[in-house]
Amino acid sequence: MANELEIKKESVVSLVENHDLGNIIKLLVNEIHLFDSFIAGTTHLDDQSVLEVVSVSDELTLRREDNKFDSNAVLVLMNDGRKLGYVPEKDNVIFARLMDAGKLLKAKVTKKNKKGSFTQISIGIYMVDF
């Protein structure tokens, strides 16, 4: 996958974000709430400090991952690219199919609970429609 062309749809909005046109385009963007879930794999992160900075209402990036353990793997990332974990395997099939078909999905943090050394992060998953 390293030599493949990657098209980032979210950059369409960000290109005009600081332009007068940006306000018009933002009005045309519709976020469709699809599902509520949580972020899996947070205990296996190399950089646990990311769990300290993520907070409720943060928007997160979802990206497909070529993963030998799960062919439908969907990564959950901070907007700066730091990995938070995955959409749980039991929930990811439909989201993987939508993303593979070119749909733009994102997530928003809805809850964050610290339980001892474990941090549970609940998310809402949205399809961005133009």
Side-chain angles (χ1 to χ4, degrees), residues 62-78:
L62 298 179
R63 187 174 72 208
R64 289 282 277 127
E65 181 184 68
D66 186 15
N67 185 309
K68 66 181 178 181
F69 302 108
D70 180 5
S71 62
N72 296 308
V74 177
L75 268 170
V76 181
L77 306 163
M78 296 285 292

Side-chain angles (χ1 to χ4, degrees), residues 19-70:
H19 189 276
D20 292 337
L21 217 69
N23 294 327
I24 295 169
I25 290 179
K26 283 181 186 176
L27 294 175
L28 301 175
V29 173
N30 187 26
E31 295 177 356
I32 302 165
H33 180 247
L34 300 175
F35 196 72
D36 291 312
S37 190
F38 62 94
I39 301 175
T42 56
T43 56
H44 303 291
L45 292 172
D46 292 333
D47 178 13
Q48 292 283 318
S49 69
V50 71
L51 298 174
E52 301 301 321
V53 297
V54 68
S55 55
V56 173
S57 78
D58 281 356
E59 290 191 3
L60 307 173
T61 300
L62 298 179
R63 187 174 72 208
R64 289 282 277 127
E65 181 184 68
D66 186 15
N67 185 309
K68 66 181 178 181
F69 302 108
D70 180 5

Side-chain angles (χ1 to χ4, degrees), residues 108-122:
K108 291 181 187 176
V109 178
T110 56
K111 232 186 273 183
K112 179 180 171 184
N113 293 321
K114 186 99 170 146
K115 298 176 181 180
S117 62
F118 176 70
T119 303
Q120 181 179 26
I121 301 170
S122 299

